[in-house]
Amino acid sequence: MPLPQPAPRPTEAPATIDGAREVLSSCFGYESFRPGQEELVRAALEGHDALAVMPTGAGKSICYQVPAALLGGRGLTLVISPLISLMGDQVRSLKEAGIRGSYLNSTLNPRQQEVVMARALAGWYDLMYVAPERLGDPHFRAFAAQAKVPLLAVDEAHCVSQWGQDFRPAYRQIADFAESLPQRPPLVALTATATKRVREDVVDLLGLRDPELVVTGFDRPNLRLASFELTPKKREAWIVDYCLEHPDQSGIVYGLTRKVVDRLAEELRQAGVSAVSYHAGYDAASREAAQRAFVNDDARVMVATNAFGMGIDKSDVRFVLNCGMPQTLEEYYQEAGRAGRDGEAATCVLLWSRGDIRTCHFFIDNAEFAPELSEEECRALTEHRKCLLRKMIGYAQSTVCLHKRIVSYFGQSLEGDDDCGSCSVCQDLKPRDLAGGRRSASGRSFGGWAEAGEDRSSSPISGKRANPDSLETDEEEALFQRLRRLRKNLADEAGVPPYVVFSDATLRGMVAARPTTREELLQVSGVGKTKLRRYGDDFLSELRGE
């Protein structure tokens, strides 16, 4: 049975930077590129290799999605990603933007995989997500050779290096795979966290040729950072208290062990917080159900080990609480970076104890290494990981600005005043006395800093760097909540996560602009032509109060 004709391509714009700006506006609703994006898009369109180090939330995916839409007439852009659990949501997001995406991974049965590859060869898709492990499959290599690959994007590129976190041996196949294609495509490698040593590994091990290097910075000024030392019992009570104080916010709680995750999730549920949990001890169906509930806003809090890792693209996560100390600052910043991807203010709190340090040392001393490494190389890696742990401990115990501590670790510096205005060190903040519910001796509790029971005009949320809440009145907040409810209803009808319809930042833009016509709504950042056609009338009716 012949396959039906593919859907029309999203754009006939030329594969130039002007065409890229047209796709950015019509598909994604943005009038200009963010820092670093244009350089990467230009490199991809001109056939050059590139390496991008951009913080979470800076829009790395735009850097290959826009070129893929423009290069669709030349073949299929492949995106190598370790985030299998995220691929479905990424493809749905592309579809909502009007771009033809697909994925090929183990969640599809063999028949479904064959259909996807056949459709790809028939020109149905502009972009396909695949896991790095698939690159070693001869059948997939034969398919890729036929597909004509105009661009190869490597997401989470730090996974190629054993000197960072999240090492994935399959990433070592990428360079060979690119060379095996009839014509080697340009490679664009992207990561949010990579030290200089890891960046050098990425260039070498992926075989990048004279790459365009774009490092936009590691700072996330919209994140409010805090680190507090608490006993395990007190920090778990603190987390429950925090979640109760923020009933309208979506958040992630990370625990070091499965036992901690299960206990915290149950404590939150008993306290009346809609929480789900995720770790490697659950079967695949249970993990998928938990993630789906969280992404779709049916559960407000996700409690997880780092098995949940990077597998989340939810843009409106307003807080990340770490119940325990990760082994590296890269790992911590990856987890904390799940917050505030929409650019809105978000809170990241590290709650640690002395026992966490012993646990981290145990994991390091009992780590398994690749069999090809020599004994000397294993010792060197062990010492390197202990060095990374010392830097993590330094952050946890820091008496200097936490924002500056992080960017310094990655080899950069922050300009401006010593007081960042948005971390627990610079504001001398303490966790509240949980036993009595009193404020700290300084007169401020961290809960107050995070807007619990504080007047918005005077709350320290309006510090120098963290974005202040733009909704100044109760009427604006009420309209924002109505738009969120509408978004949830429309998302459920479309079978997509709410953030795929519009981000919180876009909803706040609607509240601020109060558009009354389709033309005015199109001017709100994040509203493209495709989403205007699908959702514009519904949101305009709510904004008009109809």
Side-chain angles (χ1 to χ4, degrees):
M1 178 179 177
L3 291 169
Q5 291 297 308
R9 293 188 58 234
T11 179
E12 296 301 325
T16 64
I17 200 63
D18 287 336
R21 295 189 187 103
E22 182 179 324
V23 170
L24 185 73
S25 174
S26 62
C27 294
F28 296 97
Y30 303 123
E31 292 307 311
S32 61
F33 285 107
R34 296 183 189 178
Q37 288 180 331
E38 184 166 324
E39 295 94 316
L40 289 165
V41 170
R42 189 187 299 274
L45 294 177
E46 294 179 355
H48 303 307
D49 288 359
L51 169 59
V53 184
M54 304 166 68
T56 301
K60 291 186 291 298
S61 58
I62 289 286
C63 300
Y64 57 78
Q65 290 172 348
V66 168
L70 294 167
L71 297 171
R74 303 182 192 177
L76 179 70
T77 291
L78 292 178
V79 182
I80 312 300
S81 171
L83 312 179
I84 290 177
S85 64
L86 184 55
M87 290 179 184
D89 286 344
Q90 289 171 320
V91 169
R92 282 186 282 271
S93 295
L94 285 174
K95 183 179 179 182
E96 288 296 302
I99 294 178
R100 308 181 309 166
S102 60
Y103 63 90
L104 192 67
N105 62 37
S106 57
T107 66
L108 304 177
N109 63 42
R111 172 58 182 161
Q112 290 171 325
Q113 293 182 26
E114 290 299 326
V115 169
V116 168
M117 287 190 283
R119 287 176 173 174
L121 293 177
W124 278 49
Y125 311 123
D126 299 316
L127 177 152
M128 177 183 285
Y129 289 93
V130 297
E133 288 76 11
R134 191 161 295 270
L135 304 185
D137 177 7
H139 184 50
F140 177 78
R141 288 199 172 206
F143 155 76
Q146 296 180 64
K148 298 180 181 178
V149 180
L151 177 65
L152 184 62
V154 183
D155 204 5
E156 311 298 344
H158 61 273
C159 293
V160 77
S161 174
Q162 291 202 70
W163 297 102
Q165 88 289 5
D166 300 317
F167 170 61
R168 295 281 287 262
Y171 267 68
R172 299 288 177 92
Q173 303 180 75
I174 294 175
D176 177 68
F177 171 78
E179 296 290 348
S180 74
L181 295 171
Q183 182 173 351
R184 179 191 181 276
L187 269 67
V188 175
L190 309 106
T191 180
T193 52
T195 59
K196 184 174 183 294
R197 186 170 192 173
V198 172
R199 295 199 296 270
E200 291 171 351
D201 253 8
V202 170
V203 173
D204 179 45
L205 296 170
L206 293 182
L208 301 185
R209 301 175 180 175
D210 191 23
E212 174 90 14
L213 178 62
V214 177
V215 181
T216 60
F218 296 92
D219 188 34
R220 296 281 305 281
N222 64 311
L223 298 186
R224 299 164 295 196
L225 304 175
S227 175
F228 299 132
E229 181 182 2
L230 289 176
T231 65
K233 185 175 181 180
K234 284 187 176 180
R235 68 186 175 193
E236 292 182 17
W238 194 97
I239 287 169
V240 173
D241 192 45
Y242 186 95
C243 293
L244 288 172
E245 288 183 350
H246 298 79
D248 297 322
Q249 293 186 0
S250 181
I252 301 173
V253 177
Y254 282 106
L256 290 183
T257 66
R258 301 175 187 180
K259 183 178 179 180
V260 168
V261 166
D262 289 336
R263 184 171 63 243
L264 259 175
E266 184 59 28
E267 288 178 6
L268 285 167
R269 287 191 289 264
Q270 289 184 2
V273 177
S274 58
V276 290
S277 52
Y278 186 112
H279 58 61
Y282 298 141
D283 59 45
S286 298
R287 293 197 302 270
E288 169 64 20
Q291 177 161 320
R292 187 60 44 206
F294 178 62
V295 167
N296 289 342
D297 286 349
D298 294 321
R300 189 166 64 81
V301 176
M302 168 64 80
V303 188
T305 61
N306 63 5
F308 192 54
M310 299 168 287
I312 182 66
D313 198 27
K314 186 174 167 63
S315 65
D316 60 348
V317 174
R318 297 270 68 87
F319 62 86
V320 172
L321 312 179
N322 278 74
C323 184
M325 183 187 295
Q327 293 182 41
T328 71
L329 262 177
E330 288 107 320
E331 181 183 342
Y332 175 66
Y333 212 33
Q334 283 278 4
E335 294 173 0
R338 299 302 101 196
R341 292 170 61 94
D342 54 7
E344 297 286 290
T347 299
C348 305
V349 186
L350 171 63
L351 301 169
W352 62 280
S353 72
R354 302 285 167 170
D356 298 339
I357 299 175
R358 293 190 293 272
T359 300
C360 289
H361 275 292
F362 175 83
F363 286 145
I364 292 172
D365 290 336
N366 292 275
E368 295 183 2
F369 297 103
E372 66 269 17
L373 293 180
S374 67
E375 188 174 335
E376 183 179 349
E377 288 172 322
C378 291
R379 281 198 300 268
L381 269 174
T382 297
E383 182 51 41
H384 175 68
R385 291 177 182 179
K386 288 182 178 179
C387 178
L388 296 181
L389 176 58
R390 288 193 291 271
K391 293 179 185 293
M392 181 71 242
I393 296 169
Y395 173 88
Q397 299 177 334
S398 182
T399 57
V400 300
C401 173
L402 297 181
H403 281 280
K404 291 190 175 184
R405 191 103 191 190
I406 284 178
V407 298
S408 174
Y409 173 80
F410 290 109
Q412 295 185 329
S413 60
L414 290 181
E415 299 178 358
D417 299 334
D418 291 336
D419 182 356
C420 75
S422 59
C423 82
S424 56
V425 174
C426 290
Q427 293 202 309
D428 190 28
L429 299 170
K430 311 295 180 186
R432 69 174 43 129
D433 182 347
L434 291 171
R438 299 186 302 273
R439 292 181 177 272
S440 66
S442 67
R444 274 186 244 167
S445 70
F446 186 69
W449 179 50
E451 294 186 288
E454 296 260 350
D455 178 75
R456 284 195 183 92
S457 299
S458 61
S459 171
I461 187 178
S462 59
K464 300 174 185 177
R465 306 183 71 259
N467 293 343
D469 188 336
S470 60
L471 305 179
E472 297 292 341
T473 68
D474 290 342
E475 188 271 336
E476 288 178 334
E477 179 64 28
L479 176 57
F480 174 68
Q481 294 301 334
R482 292 200 301 274
L483 294 178
R484 286 187 69 197
R485 287 193 291 271
L486 172 61
R487 178 182 65 179
K488 170 64 173 166
N489 292 337
L490 293 173
D492 287 348
E493 291 175 6
V496 298
Y499 70 84
V500 167
V501 176
F502 289 122
S503 70
D504 275 8
T506 298
L507 297 188
R508 292 181 189 277
M510 293 180 191
V511 173
R514 302 296 177 95
T516 58
T517 67
R518 291 169 66 88
E519 292 74 20
E520 290 174 348
L521 183 58
L522 193 59
Q523 300 307 306
V524 176
S525 180
V527 181
K529 292 179 181 178
T530 302
K531 292 186 179 181
L532 179 70
R533 288 194 298 270
R534 289 177 179 165
Y535 306 118
D537 291 341
D538 291 301
F539 279 89
L540 285 171
S541 294
E542 189 65 53
L543 287 161
R544 296 180 190 129
E546 298 175 352

